[in-house]
């Protein structure tokens, strides 16, 4: 899912993606519409690297699937008026201690979303809207013989296929 989101975000000037291995990072940068910057979250401090890349400003948007273990670094990495959407809680959903100050000072917006709590009708409508979106310069997987451009339907399929494979 993160690979697809990284590609969709390329309408922005820069896209920073995280992964845990050099191979994954290299691949994310090699995707024609992939990340412009990468960080190994196991060997580097994501927030510190983002600050270096953005001249101390931070990033505008974070899409997080991990939750608890990335919470503080995500907050630190967000720019003023930044927003974070949480789509998963792979490391857990409880943050033991958190200073609420940065939420106010940086005017951060944090939201959560999941399809699991949605009705089958909502999910079907979402799939239909992605299919109807038509061509999108978003995603192509070199590992699967993909091209630099693909349909939004193909993107959704790749994201769904990755999720299904993980399950």
């Amino acid at each position: 899912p993160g690979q697809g989101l990284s590609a969709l975000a390329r309408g922005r000037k820069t896209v920073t993606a995280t992964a845990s291995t050099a191979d994954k990072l290299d691949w994310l940068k090699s995707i024609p519409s992939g990340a412009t910057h990468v960080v190994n979250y196991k060997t580097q401090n994501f927030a510190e690297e983002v600050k270096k890349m953005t001249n101390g400003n931070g990033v505008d948007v974070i899409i997080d699937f991990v939750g608890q273990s990335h919470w503080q670094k995500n907050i630190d990495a967000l720019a003023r008026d930044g927003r974070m959407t949480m789509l998963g809680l792979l490391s857990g959903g409880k943050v033991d201690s958190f200073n609420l100050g940065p939420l106010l000072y940086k005017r951060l917006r944090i939201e959560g979303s999941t399809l699991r709590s949605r009705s089958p009708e909502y999910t079907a409508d979402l799939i239909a809207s992605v299919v109807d979106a038509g061509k999108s310069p978003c995603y192509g997987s070199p590992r699967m013989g993909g091209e630099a451009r693909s349909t939004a339907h193909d993107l959704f399929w790749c994201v769904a296929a990755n999720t299904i494979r993980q399950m």
Side-chain angles (χ1 to χ4, degrees), residues 1-8 24 27-28 31 33-35 65 138-139 141 143 155 158-159 162 165:
Q3 297 162 0
L5 289 170
S6 173
L8 284 172
K24 289 178 185 176
W27 184 73
L28 286 166
I31 299 170
S33 57
F65 296 92
C138 57
Y139 187 76
S141 171
R143 289 190 281 186
L155 168 66
C158 287
V159 170
N162 285 337
R165 184 178 56 228

Side-chain angles (χ1 to χ4, degrees), residues 4 6 13 17 42 56-57 66 70 72 84 86 91 98 124 137 165:
S6 173
K13 185 176 178 183
K42 287 196 174 186
N57 294 319
V66 180
H70 286 45
Q72 187 61 55
M84 177 169 59
M86 302 187 72
S91 70
F98 174 64
R165 184 178 56 228

